[in-house]
Amino acid sequence: MTVLRTPEPRQAAILTELCLRSKAVWGYDEAFMAACRPALTVTVDDWKQSDIQIAVQDDNIVGMVQVMCRGEVAELDKLFVDPTALGGGIGRKLFDWSVETALRNGAKVMTVDADPGAADFYRRLGAVDGGVVASTVIPGRFLPRLKLDLTSVRRSRIT
């Protein structure tokens, strides 16, 4: 059984390693992964600036999500699932938590600057293409920016 809970700041290094393992499933080389490390590093400050949740199975952390809410816009900053747990519904469960968190914080839209390999996952969950954004890690690389209209999500959950 998968349980969601708030992690402890002392688990930041464990969450960083989870993010890196998950990102690596797309076949990136070592140089690319090294360049991504700063962006995928979870820090103690993240607990002050965002909402974070982990997925736990049998005392093992198998997923994490981080959402940053700023007024009517929420940003899904990180959503990673351990490669050993892919395909088990953990990503969906974490995404649903991020939607509920964004709604609770008053957001009307949630953006996701997705890895190209993960973009279809978000599209299946209702996000639509909203353009591209330059990578903050790799010059000349662009990522799909996806958007989820939370007002329609709210209506569909009420009806």
Side-chain angles (χ1 to χ4, degrees):
M1 179 172 74
T2 304
V3 176
L4 298 186
R5 64 176 174 79
T6 303
E8 299 291 327
R10 64 180 169 75
Q11 295 173 304
I14 294 167
L15 299 179
T16 297
E17 293 308 312
L18 168 70
C19 293
L20 289 164
R21 281 193 312 278
S22 180
K23 181 81 167 176
V25 302
W26 303 114
Y28 296 121
D29 64 25
E30 286 183 40
F32 182 92
M33 292 303 299
C36 289
R37 181 175 276 279
L40 299 180
T41 297
V42 179
T43 68
V44 172
D45 285 341
D46 288 331
W47 273 261
K48 299 173 192 167
Q49 303 166 4
S50 60
D51 292 290
I52 303 173
Q53 198 76 173
I54 56 173
V56 179
Q57 287 180 343
D58 300 323
D59 294 325
N60 296 310
I61 298 172
V62 293
M64 69 93 55
V65 63
Q66 178 183 10
V67 64
M68 303 171 102
C69 297
R70 294 183 184 96
E72 294 185 350
V73 178
E75 176 189 348
L76 184 64
D77 189 57
K78 293 178 179 69
L79 192 158
F80 291 99
V81 175
D82 191 273
T84 62
L86 288 172
I90 294 166
R92 172 64 185 251
K93 196 170 193 173
L94 290 167
F95 184 82
D96 288 347
W97 178 87
S98 70
V99 168
E100 292 298 327
T101 299
L103 286 167
R104 190 174 55 254
N105 283 292
K108 294 185 178 177
V109 67
M110 185 164 66
T111 62
V112 183
D113 296 343
D115 184 285
D120 282 341
F121 167 76
Y122 297 110
R123 290 179 186 118
R124 285 192 302 272
L125 297 177
V128 296
D129 289 285
V132 294
V133 57
S135 169
T136 60
V137 176
I138 307 293
R141 182 175 194 243
F142 293 88
L143 304 173
R145 171 162 284 172
L146 302 164
K147 294 183 178 185
L148 181 67
D149 178 357
L150 296 173
T151 60
S152 66
V153 169
R154 181 171 292 203
R155 280 192 300 274
S156 69
R157 290 178 186 224
I158 293 170
T159 56

